[in-house]
Amino acid sequence: GNSVTQMEGPVTLSEEAFLTINCTYTATGYPSLFWYVQYPGEGLQLLLKATKADDKGSNKGFEATYRKETTSFHLEKGSVQVSDSAVYFCALNGGGSNYKLTFGKGTLLTVNP
Amino acid sequence: NAGVTQTPKFQVLKTGQSMTLQCAQDMNHEYMSWYRQDPGMGLRLIHYSVGAGITDQGEVPNGYNVSRSTTEDFPLRLLSAAPSQTSVYFCASSYEGHRYGYTFGSGTRLTVV
């Protein structure tokens, strides 16, 4: 079956530091890949997505590239802010008529001023 | 505002009680699903529906029941609450999940004592 493995946290950074959160996946076929963000006390919000190999998703300064050869979808940001403190989830959908989302366990990011 | 609405936001139940968590969306999405979020476990799929009158089990369906009589509503029923069902529950909907991602509600925090 499908699975997602993301780096365990928590991750603590200073403001303006570079961020990488690793995500690798196992899936058959051609999945779509997502990063979701959950701010304290809130639901999940779609941060970015990529639906085919070599696609780059980007939003709010975050980027992730769909690498089929390494089955990876690492999240990066060049300069984090205190407001980026949240839990980040990598997820995949198997594609086609498969609507299910498979999540990683989440990575807590704390950014200090 | 368009989106996914969950009620209640908080609930405390006694062991053995039953209740229904409500979920409604106004985006005409075909696909709806329920997840539970537990510390260190990420999000796990409970039940899902690909359209009115069609439901199926996810990863952790035991102790929960669903129905989908309309496109808009997808309630989750706890038949006889147990402390192991203490969790945060999220409802999500999608038009074509693998293309556009999923919209999540703000969650219901349930405590079973």
Side-chain angles (χ1 to χ4, degrees), chain A residues 32 34 36 38 41-46 49 51 87 89 93-106, chain B residues 30-31 35 37 40-45 48 50 57-58 90 94-107:
Chain A
S32 294
F34 306 90
Y36 281 85
Q38 184 180 31
E42 298 185 9
L44 278 74
Q45 301 175 23
L46 179 64
K49 63 180 174 66
T51 58
V87 180
F89 292 93
N93 167 270
S97 60
N98 182 350
Y99 287 86
K100 300 178 188 178
L101 265 182
T102 300
F103 284 90
K105 293 185 177 180
Chain B
E30 295 177 348
Y31 179 77
Y35 290 85
Q37 183 180 23
M41 302 291 290
L43 281 83
R44 293 180 292 170
L45 181 64
Y48 66 97
V50 298
Q57 296 181 353
F90 289 100
S94 171
Y95 174 59
E96 287 186 354
H98 60 284
R99 292 184 190 276
Y100 305 112
Y102 298 74
T103 302
F104 281 79
S106 58

Side-chain angles (χ1 to χ4, degrees), chain B residues 10-58:
Chain B
F10 301 94
Q11 183 71 48
V12 178
L13 287 180
K14 294 182 178 179
T15 298
Q17 286 185 318
S18 63
M19 79 159 294
T20 299
L21 307 184
Q22 302 291 345
C23 175
Q25 53 90 9
D26 58 2
M27 299 171 284
N28 201 32
H29 285 171
E30 295 177 348
Y31 179 77
M32 298 185 74
S33 56
W34 278 100
Y35 290 85
R36 59 177 288 172
Q37 183 180 23
D38 301 293
M41 302 291 290
L43 281 83
R44 293 180 292 170
L45 181 64
I46 304 171
H47 285 285
Y48 66 97
S49 168
V50 298
I54 306 169
T55 63
D56 206 346
Q57 296 181 353

Side-chain angles (χ1 to χ4, degrees), chain A:
Chain A
N2 298 336
S3 67
V4 174
T5 302
Q6 62 182 102
M7 65 184 286
E8 295 188 15
V11 174
T12 303
L13 296 173
S14 298
E15 207 164 22
E16 300 183 0
F18 184 85
L19 168 71
T20 300
I21 301 178
N22 291 336
C23 171
T24 58
Y25 68 89
T26 302
T28 55
Y30 302 94
S32 294
L33 301 172
F34 306 90
W35 277 99
Y36 281 85
V37 58
Q38 184 180 31
Y39 298 104
E42 298 185 9
L44 278 74
Q45 301 175 23
L46 179 64
L47 181 60
L48 53 84
K49 63 180 174 66
T51 58
K52 63 182 186 297
D54 299 325
D55 267 1
K56 177 184 283 188
S58 61
N59 185 26
K60 300 181 180 180
F62 291 89
E63 293 183 339
T65 301
Y66 186 163
R67 301 288 188 197
K68 192 168 178 63
E69 63 276 13
T70 56
T71 61
S72 64
F73 193 55
H74 305 322
L75 182 68
E76 296 181 337
K77 187 174 185 183
S79 177
V80 295
Q81 305 300 312
V82 172
S83 57
D84 294 327
S85 298
V87 180
Y88 292 82
F89 292 93
C90 185
L92 74 82
N93 167 270
S97 60
N98 182 350
Y99 287 86
K100 300 178 188 178
L101 265 182
T102 300
F103 284 90
K105 293 185 177 180
T107 302
L108 173 62
L109 170 66
T110 302
V111 181
N112 295 319

Side-chain angles (χ1 to χ4, degrees), chain B residues 74-87:
Chain B
F74 190 45
L76 177 72
R77 297 181 184 84
L78 279 70
L79 309 173
S80 176
S84 61
Q85 294 178 304
T86 294
S87 187

